[in-house]
């Protein structure tokens, strides 16, 4: 196996990877602080759902335009602007907390603006990696991206929980500083645009805007993988209710909440490491369905658990199943998409991910209000398993999919070939 750290010799990629790690850390810390603060103010699980909803609404409206911007505007500047907006939001949250915040509506308003920023940074960030390294280094870059992501997912919640003991304003100030660092790191990267958009010169803006969505709809295996992941996380969003579980069910406080959020990252990180060592090469479709099924089953176990160690194990398995589905979805997007529209296809993927995460948080909060905390989580896991069963029939292309690309002997070789082909197509 090639050393993933070798790719850091490319200075632009090194700055990008460090910035992405900072933003992942920030997002996880912010999730812990905002969730705990909102629940401490209202003790209403529905309000935890509203935190997700106010982020989802602007995100889902703007993410396709965000993908269009990523393909037509310098991607580096898109990230600088979006990270700058996120830093401003974190600074406002810090100011509100220092001023003695007693209402939740300012948090909802700020998180809505945060969702707007994410609608632009996610497509641009996802599309940048192939622009920063040569084709032969791309597999290492993907591996390192995954490793840094999971380190952030593991460390962020725990760090956020510990800092919250000092005060929520401390968390928000640290997040603000890290986001400003991310802005500085991205600023040193050379200008980056999509390799070729000249072929769209005669295409209307709206048609161009929807090109990524049209591309996904015409690739049934990709559509099945993305939407299966969406519905699985949408109905199985137990993590949205972790603040309520930590306080009312497991009685472990904010540090325990950070540990619970970390458990999901640990499971995902271990799975990511296994995938780096031994990538999925055969029976891709079966692995996809198995990953989402494990996600649903683990959600059910977490829902009925009253034991902190068992809850941690269930969340770790949940993260493991989610990592498998994310891996397959990301590899499909990278292999099948030309660089000229990668921002827009990434935007479609981000839209589905955003819907599954933020809208899933709202769904979890709403069902918790209707049926109670435990019943809502268990029901979500059962519905996720039902979705897996339905998709086995609805998407036979995904169910019988064997390899990522039949002409490639393995996923790493396919990734190299796909990126090289995109470069040749852009240069033609």
């Amino acid at each position: 196996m090639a050393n993933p750290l070798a790719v850091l010799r490319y200075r632009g990629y090194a700055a990008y990877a460090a910035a992405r790690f900072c933003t992942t850390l920030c997002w996880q810390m912010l999730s812990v602080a905002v969730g705990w603060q909102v629940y401490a103010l209202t003790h209403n699980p529905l309000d935890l759902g509203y935190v997700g909803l106010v982020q989802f609404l602007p995100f889902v409206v703007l993410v396709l335009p965000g993908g269009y911007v990523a393909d037509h505007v310098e991607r580096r500047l898109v990230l600088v602007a979006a990270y700058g907006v996120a830093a401003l939001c974190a600074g406002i949250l810090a100011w509100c907390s220092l001023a003695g915040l007693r209402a939740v509506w300012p948090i909802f308003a700020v998180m809505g603006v945060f969702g707007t920023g994410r609608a632009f940074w996610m497509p641009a960030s996802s599309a940048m990696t192939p622009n920063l390294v040569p084709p032969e280094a791309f597999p290492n870059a993907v591996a390192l991206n995954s490793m840094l992501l999971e380190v952030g997912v593991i460390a962020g919640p725990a760090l956020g929980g510990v800092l919250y003991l000092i005060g929520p304003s401390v968390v928000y100030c640290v997040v603000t500083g890290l986001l400003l660092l991310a802005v500085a790191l991205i600023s040193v990267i050379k200008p980056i645009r999509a390799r070729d958009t000249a072929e769209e010169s005669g295409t209307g803006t709206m048609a161009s805007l929807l090109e990524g969505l049209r591309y996904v709809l015409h690739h049934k295996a990709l559509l099945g993988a993305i939407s299966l992941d969406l519905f699985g996380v949408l109905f199985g969003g137990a993590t949205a209710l972790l603040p309520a579980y930590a306080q009312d069910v497991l009685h472990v406080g904010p540090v325990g909440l950070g540990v619970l959020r970390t458990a999901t990252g640990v499971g995902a990180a271990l799975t990511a490491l296994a995938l780096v060592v031994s990538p999925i090469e055969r029976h891709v479709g079966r692995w996809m369905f198995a990953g989402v099924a494990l996600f649903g089953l683990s959600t059910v176990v977490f829902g009925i658990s009253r034991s902190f160690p068992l809850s941690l194990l269930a969340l770790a398995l949940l993260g493991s199943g989610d990592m498998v589905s994310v891996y397959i979805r990301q590899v499909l997007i990278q292999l099948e998409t030309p660089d000229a529209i990668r921002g827009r296809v990434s935007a479609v993927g981000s839209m589905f991910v955003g819907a599954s995460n933020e809208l899933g948080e709202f769904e979890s909060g709403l069902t918790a209000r209707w049926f109670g905390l435990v019943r809502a989580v268990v029901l979500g896991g059962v519905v996720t398993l039902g979705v897996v069963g339905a998709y086995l029939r609805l998407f036979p292309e995904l169910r019988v999919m064997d390899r990522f690309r039949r002409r490639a002997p393995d996923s790493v070789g396919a990734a190299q070939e796909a990126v090289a082909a995109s470069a040749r197509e852009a240069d033609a």
Side-chain angles (χ1 to χ4, degrees):
M1 179 186 64
N3 177 15
L5 297 180
V7 77
L8 292 176
R9 69 177 181 270
Y10 302 102
R11 292 193 299 174
Y13 174 78
Y16 160 80
R20 190 176 184 184
F21 174 71
C22 288
T23 57
T24 301
L25 204 63
C26 290
W27 180 246
Q28 297 298 324
M29 294 170 63
L30 200 64
S31 297
V32 170
V34 168
W36 190 267
Q37 188 175 26
V38 167
Y39 195 71
L41 288 171
T42 68
H43 298 283
N44 185 352
L46 182 59
D47 287 326
L48 297 176
Y50 285 142
V51 172
L53 183 64
V54 297
Q55 295 174 73
F56 167 75
L57 292 178
F59 179 85
V60 76
V61 171
L62 295 173
V63 70
L64 289 182
Y68 179 86
V69 170
D71 285 337
H72 292 81
V73 178
E74 187 185 328
R75 289 169 179 168
R76 176 181 62 97
L77 295 182
V78 175
L79 288 185
V80 166
Y83 290 164
V85 169
L88 178 62
C89 290
I92 293 173
L93 288 174
W95 180 82
C96 290
S97 297
L98 289 171
L101 180 69
R102 289 293 180 267
V104 294
W105 70 262
I107 298 178
F108 293 154
V110 171
M111 296 307 291
V113 178
F114 202 97
T116 301
R118 287 182 68 224
F120 288 89
W121 99 42
M122 287 186 68
S125 178
S126 298
M128 277 183 68
T129 303
N131 302 124
L132 296 171
V133 297
E136 63 272 12
F138 178 65
N140 280 1
V142 172
L144 186 59
N145 283 348
S146 299
M147 291 171 61
L148 291 175
L149 174 66
E150 296 310 329
V151 170
V153 169
I154 292 170
L159 181 58
V162 171
L163 291 177
Y164 194 92
L165 293 176
I166 306 173
S169 60
V170 176
V171 181
Y172 300 139
C173 286
V174 172
V175 168
T176 302
L178 287 173
L179 286 170
L180 291 175
L181 175 60
V183 170
L185 288 167
I186 294 297
S187 298
V188 305
I189 299 175
K190 293 181 179 179
I192 295 172
R193 286 181 180 267
R195 290 191 175 108
D196 187 12
T197 55
E199 64 186 45
E200 300 179 22
S201 58
T203 303
T205 301
M206 182 56 66
S208 181
L209 188 69
L210 298 177
E211 183 62 32
L213 182 60
R214 183 161 50 247
Y215 188 88
V216 171
L217 292 176
H218 282 83
H219 289 72
K220 297 301 182 183
L222 182 58
L223 174 63
I226 292 176
S227 58
L228 175 61
D229 194 53
L230 180 153
F231 288 115
V233 179
L234 175 64
F235 294 114
T239 54
L241 299 174
L242 285 181
Y245 255 85
Q247 182 167 321
D248 297 340
V249 178
L250 299 174
H251 310 290
V252 292
V255 175
L257 171 62
V259 174
L260 288 170
R261 285 193 177 274
T262 297
T264 305
V266 169
L270 293 175
T271 303
L273 179 61
L275 291 171
V276 170
V277 174
S278 180
I280 294 175
E281 300 177 0
R282 300 293 307 275
H283 312 302
V284 170
R286 295 181 190 177
W287 277 107
M288 181 75 193
F289 283 107
V292 179
L294 178 61
F295 183 92
L297 182 61
S298 300
T299 300
V300 173
V301 173
F302 174 78
I304 62 178
S305 172
R306 295 298 181 274
S307 165
F308 187 62
L310 179 59
S311 297
L312 290 176
L313 176 61
L315 289 173
L317 292 174
L318 184 151
S320 179
D322 188 45
M323 186 67 222
V324 171
S325 65
V326 167
Y327 170 84
I328 293 173
R329 184 186 72 239
Q330 290 290 350
V331 171
L332 282 173
I333 290 175
Q334 294 289 346
L335 295 187
E336 299 294 333
T337 308
D339 185 66
I341 63 169
R342 188 177 289 117
R344 279 161 287 178
V345 174
S346 296
V348 175
S350 298
M351 182 174 64
F352 278 77
V353 170
S356 63
N357 290 335
E358 278 77 31
L359 192 57
E361 290 181 12
F362 176 69
E363 181 272 338
S364 296
L366 191 62
T367 54
R369 179 69 177 269
W370 288 345
F371 307 122
L373 197 59
V374 173
R375 290 175 182 170
V377 173
V378 174
L379 178 63
V382 171
V383 173
T384 298
L385 293 173
V387 169
V388 172
Y391 265 56
L392 285 168
R393 287 180 169 270
L394 291 174
F395 288 91
E397 300 91 346
L398 181 60
R399 185 185 70 239
V400 301
M401 188 176 184
D402 185 26
R403 297 180 184 270
F404 286 113
R405 275 197 168 184
R406 290 183 174 86
R407 68 172 182 269
D410 58 76
S411 60
V412 172
Q416 291 174 317
E417 180 181 337
V419 177
S422 295
R424 290 193 299 270
E425 178 181 339
D427 292 335

